[in-house]
Amino acid sequence: MKEIYLGLDLCRKNVQISYFREDKQEPESIYQLNNTETYQLPNVMFYAEEEKKWYVGNSVSSIRFQTRGFMIEDVMGGIESSSHIVVEGKDYTYDELLLILLKTHIEEFLGRSEEYQLCGLTVTLEIYHDKVYQVLGRLAEELNLPKDSFYVMSHENAFFQYVMNQDEKLRSNSVAMFEYGTEGMEYYRIDKKHQGKTEIYYLSHQSLKEELSYAMLFEDVEILDQRFAEIARNKMRETYISTVYLTGPGFNDKWIEESTKVLCDGRRVFMGQNIYTKGACYHAKSGAYEMDKDCILCTEESIPFDIGISIGETEGRNQFYPIALGGREWYNMRGKVTLFLDDTNRIHLVYRDKISKEIQKEVIEIHGLPKRPPKTTKLSLEIELFDETMGAIVIRDVGFGKIYPTTNKIYRKEFSIGNEHCDS
């Protein structure tokens, strides 16, 4: 069996898929049928009545005119809707349709060879949405992927993973990226700082939608080129930049002339439409770049500290036991541990900053539990985050077998999150 690792970029209008075979050094992307210049597979579906089969992406354009069926467009756009779509007497919600869409894409690719075995999948999202996140969790289950072989990440993180897997010379200084999509232009920059032996990467983001809209692409492209050249010139003056990446459907060779001269002045410049999906693919194959390295990534969505508890004493010092590890997107900051209490009703919650190494402690008192001997009060502690600013720890009395049954008591303590250390 050949091990296959997939990186999937899920946006509202389309999906891109890259794959990493064990015998290759670089990921490859799946392109549209009869068009090797684009990797964007549209988020459309068609149910063929006679075959009783779903078609997705590029295959829809031809099959829809050959047989009777049901056409469904903008699957991602309807994910927030509570409405149902009836296909041959069966009700489908949009999250159920999205699951079918993604699973069909992946199974069709894996079906090209009986030797393929899916060993890892990383999905990168343009915008986080809770329902989409839940669908992706169900997708991993249906593909029989273990938890450590599946991950969901932001576009910023996927960009970072891509950059860090390129030639090291390309990131000798800061690295920048302009994304020109249908909503306008966005600007990203990765800066590196050293703190002792630790490398800290700050990934900043700035919207340029007001300066450069997508509509300008269909107006006077000379003005567009001049305006982008001026923006690029100002951005390149802010700091030393080694490499610039251009991505998004708005970028093409037809209008970039003056701006190319500005960008290429002492820098390497690359244009590509599959940066995010390839970054996700690198992650699926090799794990996070910063894993097992003295390296920290700070983005707008990442949490810069670990959350855990202080337990026992080792050589007179309390030991930190992590529940949820930081340095990742807030929606990936989840964890659960089990704790046996001694003769106390207190839990020492600890926030450990990954950059400054500073520690903040908070004491939580558990009231209402029956009196039990030491080590017979068993609690489960679970961390969950709601967004970039708020989270909670949920504590449940598990009991101690039949001797000391659970009281079913649940305690909840909310906490606020500060990202001040991730500001460059």
Side-chain angles (χ1 to χ4, degrees), residues 181-206:
T182 55
E183 299 297 321
M185 187 168 289
E186 307 286 341
Y187 177 67
Y188 303 88
R189 196 179 80 199
I190 300 174
D191 301 308
K192 180 174 70 174
K193 294 185 180 180
H194 288 273
Q195 185 167 299
K197 295 182 179 180
T198 303
E199 293 182 343
I200 305 171
Y201 291 90
Y202 296 93
L203 202 165
S204 58
H205 167 228
Q206 179 185 1

Side-chain angles (χ1 to χ4, degrees), residues 144-328:
N144 295 315
L145 282 171
K147 289 186 178 180
D148 58 355
S149 298
F150 171 74
Y151 196 82
V152 179
M153 63 170 50
S154 63
H155 267 186
E156 288 89 340
N157 196 346
F159 170 48
F160 175 78
Q161 301 300 327
Y162 178 84
V163 168
M164 302 310 286
N165 280 280
Q166 305 307 303
D167 191 326
E168 191 172 353
K169 295 178 181 178
L170 297 176
R171 57 178 192 272
S172 56
N173 294 302
S174 296
V175 177
M177 180 176 69
F178 292 94
E179 180 180 6
Y180 194 12
T182 55
E183 299 297 321
M185 187 168 289
E186 307 286 341
Y187 177 67
Y188 303 88
R189 196 179 80 199
I190 300 174
D191 301 308
K192 180 174 70 174
K193 294 185 180 180
H194 288 273
Q195 185 167 299
K197 295 182 179 180
T198 303
E199 293 182 343
I200 305 171
Y201 291 90
Y202 296 93
L203 202 165
S204 58
H205 167 228
Q206 179 185 1
S207 174
L208 301 175
K209 295 177 182 178
E210 293 186 2
E211 290 88 340
L212 288 174
S213 68
Y214 193 69
M216 295 179 65
L217 189 64
F218 307 97
E219 298 169 357
D220 191 329
V221 292
E222 289 188 8
I223 294 178
L224 171 62
D225 188 24
Q226 292 172 7
R227 191 170 298 181
F228 178 51
E230 185 60 30
I231 289 175
R233 189 176 291 109
N234 292 334
K235 292 301 176 186
M236 297 305 105
R237 287 171 179 165
E238 291 177 351
T239 189
Y240 292 107
I241 294 177
S242 303
T243 305
V244 177
Y245 293 93
L246 307 176
T247 191
F251 281 118
N252 58 65
D253 296 329
K254 296 178 181 179
W255 66 268
I256 300 181
E257 294 185 9
E258 181 65 27
S259 46
T260 298
K261 298 174 185 177
V262 174
L263 293 171
C264 292
D265 185 11
R267 302 171 204 87
R268 299 288 300 276
V269 179
F270 300 91
M271 185 186 300
Q273 302 303 323
N274 53 354
I275 289 176
Y276 296 132
T277 177
K278 281 192 172 183
C281 201
Y282 279 117
H283 182 278
K285 174 68 165 58
S286 306
Y289 172 84
E290 61 272 27
M291 186 184 299
D292 300 324
K293 296 182 178 67
D294 203 355
C295 166
I296 300 170
L297 170 64
C298 285
T299 71
E300 292 180 352
E301 291 188 332
S302 65
I303 304 301
F305 53 82
D306 304 323
I307 304 175
I309 52 176
S310 178
I311 58 174
E313 289 191 0
T314 303
E315 298 179 353
R317 299 177 61 186
N318 289 338
Q319 182 180 1
F320 175 77
Y321 191 88
I323 303 175
L325 295 175
R328 61 187 72 188

Side-chain angles (χ1 to χ4, degrees), residues 90-124:
K90 182 176 179 180
D91 277 357
Y92 292 91
T93 60
Y94 274 96
D95 49 343
E96 290 172 332
L97 292 170
L98 179 59
L99 178 61
I100 295 172
L101 174 80
L102 298 176
K103 188 179 178 183
T104 303
H105 269 306
I106 293 173
E107 289 181 341
E108 283 183 355
F109 171 75
L110 297 176
R112 296 180 184 180
S113 173
E114 295 181 356
E115 298 181 349
Y116 287 172
Q117 179 182 358
L118 181 60
C119 296
L121 169 65
T122 296
V123 181
T124 177

